[in-house]
Amino acid sequence: MIYMDNAATTMRKPKQVVQAVAEAMESMGNAGRGAHGASLSASRTIYDTRELVCNLFGGTNPRQVVFTSNSTESLNIAIKGLIEPEDHVITTMMEHNSVLRPLYEMCERGAELSIVKCDKKGVFCISDIEELIEPRTKAIVCTGGSNLTGNYVDLEQIGEIARKHNLLFIVDASQTAGVFPVDVQKMHIDVLCFTGHKSLLGPQGTGGMYVREGLSIRPLKSGGSGVQTYSRSHPREMPTALEAGTLNGHGIAGLHAALEYLNEEGIDRIRRREQELMRRFYEGVKEIPGVKIYGDFHTMERCPIVALNIRDYDSSEVSDALLLDYEICTRPGAHCAPLMHEALGTVEQGAVRFSFSHYNTEEEVDTAIRAVKELAEEEE
């Protein structure tokens, strides 16, 4: 099997990640729920992982790192915990439904939403953001990179606009965490939401957010915390304020091992490798008659993703053929990015997404190129 669906989840993990999860399941207790060795071991692992996350994202305090189950939960906490009915929010057509749906829900409660349009390559003009700012504007919410086209976003430039106008800047780093360097201070990011199971190479069910010090977010959940048991209110101290219930300690142990792996290998080296594979594939398919590629490829400084269609062939049928005839795993359809498909003109057809990992090989890429070529020839 050739796995090229890494934007959905990285299937191949470093061996130490698998080992860390297995060892944690045999030895880890519940963090903050006791003074015995198993509980203390869990607490140490979780805190050490907070430090690794904080350092990776240029944070100032590990206690501002909150663990969740994925980016979707993090974005729901950030959006529903910061946006009020009277607020105005700006986002873009690039966004995943994990951004859009919570924002739409807040609109149902009275908030107002402005959406920056993208062109036919899925690119938006950053200056358009500033033109949409009004007195009620409270936040800019956007992704760091498109999960459909791979287009990369200049977060630092958007962060400067947010800082200039005293707006909150909430970032979905699902496709960029572990791929591109992220510095929450340099980029003026107030809340960075990430998932562990994509390019951070951790287990599914892990994720989190880095919250700027001094920013208070209304909790999405309340409940057990291991402290202040007799208080009717959930603790307000970070990170407990946003972490009700038992954390996924086993998964976080795996995320810890994954972050150590990334530190050892270097995300810049990994990104260059993945971009080389992406370029090899792109160059191999871009001239094939009947193949249409989506996204902005004037630069290879982008997420390692290539989305395409073959003539008017349904994307699901192409993906099925790739799997059944060539054992290549891809992602067809709408990719939870409805507005981006509107911009690309692919609402009905969807698109076939190839997304690469540094574990992929040149031979696998060449097989994928040959598969696309043969499928395109069949449709002539």
Side-chain angles (χ1 to χ4, degrees):
M1 182 180 70
I2 298 174
Y3 188 79
M4 292 182 172
D5 192 21
N6 293 281
T9 192
T10 47
M11 186 186 70
R12 186 173 176 186
K13 312 290 185 182
K15 291 182 179 179
Q16 50 265 54
V17 173
V18 179
Q19 293 170 350
V21 174
E23 291 173 4
M25 292 187 72
E26 291 183 339
S27 62
M28 183 175 283
N30 198 331
R33 270 67 169 182
H36 51 79
S39 176
L40 294 175
S41 175
S43 296
R44 282 193 292 270
T45 297
I46 290 171
Y47 185 79
D48 288 348
T49 310
R50 292 192 207 278
E51 287 192 320
L52 288 172
V53 171
C54 184
N55 292 336
L56 179 65
F57 297 140
T60 58
N61 185 350
R63 295 184 65 84
Q64 297 303 116
V65 174
V66 174
F67 288 118
T68 65
S69 57
N70 47 47
S71 289
T72 298
E73 183 179 358
S74 298
L75 287 160
N76 270 265
I77 292 170
I79 291 169
K80 296 177 182 179
L82 290 169
I83 305 305
E84 303 292 346
E86 66 273 11
D87 292 332
H88 171 246
V89 182
I90 299 171
T91 192
T92 80
M93 290 186 80
M94 288 182 68
E95 308 310 315
H96 189 278
N97 272 336
S98 56
V99 168
L100 295 174
R101 285 176 172 166
L103 286 174
Y104 292 153
E105 186 176 334
M106 298 312 297
C107 288
E108 292 174 359
R109 301 179 190 180
E112 183 183 347
L113 179 64
S114 293
I115 301 175
V116 179
K117 293 182 179 181
C118 292
D119 63 21
K120 292 183 179 180
K121 289 186 177 182
V123 178
F124 67 89
C125 183
I126 290 178
S127 63
D128 289 349
I129 293 176
E130 198 157 18
E131 292 180 6
L132 292 172
I133 296 172
E134 58 182 64
R136 289 199 307 148
T137 305
K138 186 172 186 178
I140 301 169
V141 186
C142 78
T143 184
S146 171
N147 73 309
L148 174 54
T149 64
N151 292 348
Y152 180 61
V153 177
D154 188 343
L155 293 178
E156 187 172 354
Q157 189 175 348
I158 299 175
E160 287 288 351
I161 293 173
R163 183 190 61 80
K164 174 183 173 182
H165 295 275
N166 196 29
L167 304 178
L168 294 175
F169 188 26
I170 302 170
V171 172
D172 174 9
S174 298
Q175 295 298 329
T176 50
V179 181
F180 289 93
V182 178
D183 188 322
V184 293
Q185 297 183 80
K186 184 178 180 181
M187 297 176 173
H188 306 290
I189 297 172
D190 295 286
V191 184
L192 181 78
C193 301
F194 65 92
T195 196
H197 70 98
K198 297 181 188 285
S199 292
L200 288 182
L201 303 176
Q204 294 180 3
T206 61
M209 53 202 301
Y210 183 86
V211 181
R212 172 179 55 79
E213 288 194 81
L215 180 62
S216 179
I217 299 178
R218 183 171 55 251
L220 187 65
K221 301 181 292 184
S222 61
S225 60
V227 295
Q228 301 179 23
T229 295
Y230 295 103
S231 171
R232 291 191 175 190
S233 301
H234 194 76
R236 296 182 179 180
E237 296 79 11
M238 289 287 283
T240 310
L242 301 178
E243 291 180 343
T246 297
L247 294 174
N248 178 10
H250 303 145
I252 293 171
L255 181 60
H256 183 281
L259 292 168
E260 288 190 325
Y261 171 84
L262 290 174
N263 284 338
E264 292 170 4
E265 294 294 318
I267 67 169
D268 291 337
R269 189 192 70 80
I270 292 174
R271 180 178 69 257
R272 286 193 294 270
R273 169 62 176 167
E274 292 174 348
Q275 289 173 336
E276 286 172 2
L277 295 170
M278 174 192 65
R279 177 188 285 273
R280 187 183 186 97
F281 179 76
Y282 171 74
E283 294 293 340
V285 301
K286 69 177 184 178
E287 301 297 339
I288 297 175
V291 172
K292 183 173 182 179
I293 298 173
Y294 304 96
D296 181 11
F297 284 85
H298 83 279
T299 173
M300 288 296 144
E301 195 65 4
R302 60 196 319 284
C303 299
I305 292 170
V306 179
L308 58 80
N309 276 317
I310 298 176
R311 295 187 177 84
D312 59 354
Y313 208 49
D314 185 83
S315 63
S316 294
E317 294 183 49
V318 173
S319 187
D320 286 347
L322 287 166
L323 178 62
L324 295 175
D325 298 339
Y326 303 93
E327 295 187 283
I328 299 172
C329 300
T330 58
R331 170 79 184 274
H335 311 88
C336 302
L339 300 184
M340 182 60 92
H341 279 284
E342 288 183 19
L344 300 176
T346 52
V347 170
E348 297 299 325
Q349 190 177 14
V352 183
R353 183 184 68 190
F354 294 77
S355 48
F356 304 92
S357 162
H358 66 295
Y359 285 120
N360 286 123
T361 66
E362 284 84 358
E363 291 76 17
E364 289 177 335
V365 170
D366 292 343
T367 298
I369 293 170
R370 175 173 58 85
V372 172
K373 183 177 181 180
E374 290 177 359
L375 290 174
E377 289 173 348
E378 288 177 9
E379 291 303 304
E380 286 186 329

